[in-house]
Amino acid sequence: MLDRQILRSPEGIARLKEALKHRGYDPGVVERLVALDERWRELTREVNELRRVQNEKARMVGRLKREGKHEEAEQVILESRTLSEKIQVLEQELREISERFEREWLLVPNIPHESVPVGEDESANVVVRTWGDLPSFDFEPRPHWELGEILGILDFESPRVMSGSRFVGYRGLGARLERALIQFFLDLHTTEHGYTEVIPPVLVREESMIASGHLPKFREEMYEIPADGLFLIPTAEVSLANLHRDTLFAEEELPRYYTAYTPCFRREAGAYGKDVRGMIRLHQFNKVELFKYTLPEQSYDELERMLQDAERVLQLLGIPYRVVALSTGDMGFAAAKTYDIEAWAPGLQRWLEVSSVSNTEDFQARRAGVRVRRRNGTVEYVHTLNGSGLATPRTFIALLENFQQKDGSVVIPEALRPYMGGLEVIEPQ
RNA sequence: GGAGGGGUGGCCGAGUGGUCGAAGGCGGCGGCUUGCUAAGCCGUAGCCCCGGCUGAAACCGGGGCCGAGGGUUCGAAUCCCUCCCCCUCCGCCA
């Protein structure tokens, strides 16, 4: 959520319209919002004034009664009664205006940072850097689903029966490898990068989804449990963004770094027929998330650092990747700036997004009510950042496909071996 | 699921339907005292919104905020309703 102050100056209005245009949103909503805000302020002014008079009269009644002047008190009560009715009518209208404003305001995305490349879609994204050499093979590299089959570590069949498409099962060393990845990520971030590990709920209330910016706009992407009004999280970002709801931090308490492993659930409603093969796009997957609460002036430095923390995972695994700065048209709703990290998948011959690292500035903090009292006494919203560190299925894919050998065996990167009981190679069954 | 108790300012905690933010404590800030610190003493202090002011800060005026939302009343932290959360007991179950 943006500061609605932006609707009260010509420059702010122009800035917001431009931001919406760059994101591919209709800037037409802005005029409507400006009108609602103006009406809201006008009503607020009127109501405030009437309440002032009303308060005066109420106090007068109290005073008169205490002084025993009951008849005069009755007179004032009579006046006050009609005023009270008038106020109620205006308050009703004020409530309606507020609700209408709020409804639309919650659908307005964040304003992109000035450093974000302007463009309609992913074609305008900018590759910031590439790390590692793409592997060359003296054989045709296999896609992960073939490797999973050969090695007997992935199960695509039984999940289809028990749950439908876009689910995967791991078995044997596959399950162990998945667990190893999660543990490796968490250990790295907690011991070397200073994040505090948390295990949050994965079922949350609607208001938590609103706070993180995932609702009301993306309802069709969420699994919902109507009987209890709960939603399955699409990312631990939701849980971590709600860790300090309605909190006023002291400046010394920031920054705060959190990491969490959770399963994530996505309906993928808009992706019919896309990435159906293998485990590129799943309804349920595992992810280790990174999250920071920072002072506003530090958030862009913290963004770069978080990006490095996520990159470090791939470096230690030896998986080649590139970092991409997303364009205005490709960024998520709450983000002011986003980097994607894409791992190379030689079997698929494509780059796979394994991480997305974003600064939402105060967009989520405003929705979640997370503020900081500065040393000079002023209060402002904190900045929040989130990033994957990493998502496992695609890391799993990249790992299998990069380290495969001619016979289908897969070499386990050294960093992971301690988590695999020292195992160096997964052999075909 | 059943019964009962409770949610008050950054934190803890008192509170009457009518004296403009609500005792007290902790913590905060300013000052005095002090070789320095601690202790002590004095003072000050909340958050949000509207307006003065085109934007921001300070300041001034006003409104709102005692879990959330409605309601009763001239007037509600205080009474009523709904919801949320916490605690205790009982039942059930990992």
Side-chain angles (χ1 to χ4, degrees), chain A residues 84-282:
Chain A
S84 181
E85 282 161 10
K86 205 166 155 189
I87 290 173
Q88 282 201 355
V89 172
L90 283 179
E91 279 181 333
Q92 181 57 34
E93 195 187 343
L94 187 58
R95 261 201 298 276
E96 283 164 17
I97 294 286
S98 293
E99 277 166 24
R100 278 169 58 194
F101 179 87
E102 189 79 353
R103 212 169 21 244
E104 299 225 38
W105 197 229
L106 285 173
L107 295 170
V108 174
N110 204 350
I111 293 178
H113 188 258
E114 56 185 14
S115 66
V116 173
V118 175
E120 279 185 17
D121 52 36
E122 65 273 13
S123 65
N125 293 352
V126 175
V127 176
V128 176
R129 59 177 163 269
T130 303
W131 184 92
D133 298 319
L134 305 194
S136 56
F137 298 91
D138 53 7
F139 57 92
E140 188 69 25
R142 296 179 167 95
H144 63 280
W145 53 83
E146 283 181 22
L147 294 166
E149 170 78 33
I150 293 168
L151 302 173
I153 60 173
L154 292 176
D155 176 12
F156 293 104
E157 297 304 319
S158 59
R160 262 199 277 281
V161 176
M162 70 177 98
S163 306
S165 67
R166 293 198 193 287
F167 287 91
V168 72
Y170 304 86
R171 69 171 52 157
L173 288 173
R176 175 114 192 222
L177 182 58
E178 176 74 359
R179 184 157 55 87
L181 284 171
I182 293 165
Q183 193 139 343
F184 167 60
F185 297 168
L186 286 171
D187 284 352
L188 178 68
H189 296 310
T190 55
T191 62
E192 291 188 30
H193 300 153
Y195 292 79
T196 300
E197 182 177 353
V198 300
I199 300 179
V202 300
L203 277 171
V204 301
R205 289 217 176 99
E206 181 169 11
E207 59 200 81
S208 301
M209 285 288 197
I210 290 172
S212 67
H214 291 84
L215 286 178
K217 196 167 171 53
F218 304 101
R219 200 172 195 112
E220 70 287 347
E221 268 305 308
M222 310 295 161
Y223 286 104
E224 186 175 356
I225 293 128
D228 300 293
L230 295 171
F231 294 80
L232 280 162
I233 58 168
T235 159
E237 174 195 348
V238 174
S239 308
L240 296 177
N242 282 278
L243 220 47
H244 297 293
R245 274 261 288 282
D246 299 318
T247 298
L248 182 55
F249 281 112
E251 189 167 330
E252 315 62 76
E253 293 176 299
L254 298 176
R256 293 196 166 214
Y257 294 11
Y258 294 103
T259 183
Y261 151 67
T262 67
C264 304
F265 304 89
R266 300 186 182 180
R267 291 188 62 230
E268 298 295 348
Y272 299 114
K274 203 172 156 192
D275 304 325
V276 283
R277 198 83 200 267
M279 48 191 265
I280 300 168
R281 193 174 291 274
L282 300 169

Side-chain angles (χ1 to χ4, degrees), chain A residues 310-328:
Chain A
E311 285 179 65
R312 182 112 175 92
V313 175
L314 291 172
Q315 290 169 8
L316 288 171
L317 292 175
I319 294 172
Y321 68 87
R322 62 182 192 179
V323 175
V324 176
L326 296 196
S327 74
T328 52

